[in-house]
Amino acid sequence: MQGIWNDLVNGLKGGNLKALARAISLVENEYEDYNAFLKLLPFSDKKIIGITGPPGAGKSTIVDCLINEFIARQQKIGVLCVDPSSPYTKGALLGDRIRMNNWFNNPDVFIRSLASRGDTGGLHPKIIEITDLMKTAPFDHIIIETVGAVVSAELVEPNL
């Protein structure tokens, strides 16, 4: 297992987006020994840009404009879009990758949708770990977009 993890770390450092996508999936799904893998990642103090707000506020539009500006400066961008979970599939409900489809084939842009998986804080339960993966990749900028706090209908339903 150690060899696979080392290959993934090397892939991340080298900017291999397939390795990044695979690493995110393994961490997201708590694959066996993923904690040992995380310990192999180098420390990084890269800054994260956070965009949050209510649905329909224009978060994806702002992120799209930021990507456009960074690409104009010939920089690499990694984006994590955290959406509410589908009650049926538990996957990302809104699918920001679809709304930012101008960048789908751009090799300098990586966009990954993540489901909040029911977390009421509006972030994926493994957002810290996934952000560490993003910091290992050679992105000039990392953006996390989320709707912020999500309140379950059961929590706001009045007691009658």
Side-chain angles (χ1 to χ4, degrees), residues 63-74:
V63 172
D64 190 61
C65 290
L66 286 170
I67 294 170
N68 190 53
E69 182 63 29
F70 295 145
I71 288 297
R73 296 178 185 188
Q74 298 180 347

Side-chain angles (χ1 to χ4, degrees), residues 87-105:
Y88 305 106
T89 66
K90 305 297 183 211
L93 188 61
L94 301 177
D96 283 301
R97 287 188 300 177
I98 294 168
R99 290 198 300 271
M100 293 181 217
N101 64 1
N102 293 339
W103 308 110
F104 181 71
N105 289 319

Side-chain angles (χ1 to χ4, degrees), residues 67-139:
I67 294 170
N68 190 53
E69 182 63 29
F70 295 145
I71 288 297
R73 296 178 185 188
Q74 298 180 347
Q75 297 175 326
K76 295 183 182 287
I77 304 95
V79 182
L80 296 173
C81 301
V82 186
D83 289 320
S85 300
S86 163
Y88 305 106
T89 66
K90 305 297 183 211
L93 188 61
L94 301 177
D96 283 301
R97 287 188 300 177
I98 294 168
R99 290 198 300 271
M100 293 181 217
N101 64 1
N102 293 339
W103 308 110
F104 181 71
N105 289 319
N106 189 312
D108 293 329
V109 179
F110 176 86
I111 300 173
R112 175 74 175 245
S113 293
L114 300 170
S116 64
R117 294 191 173 193
D119 190 297
T120 57
L123 291 172
H124 187 284
K126 296 278 185 226
I127 194 67
I128 300 297
E129 294 87 344
I130 294 170
T131 302
D132 285 343
L133 297 172
M134 299 285 285
K135 287 180 176 182
T136 302
F139 294 121

Side-chain angles (χ1 to χ4, degrees), residues 138-156:
F139 294 121
D140 296 299
H141 301 281
I142 300 169
I143 301 170
I144 298 177
E145 177 196 341
T146 179
V147 293
V150 177
V151 180
S152 170
E154 298 101 21
L155 297 176
V156 295

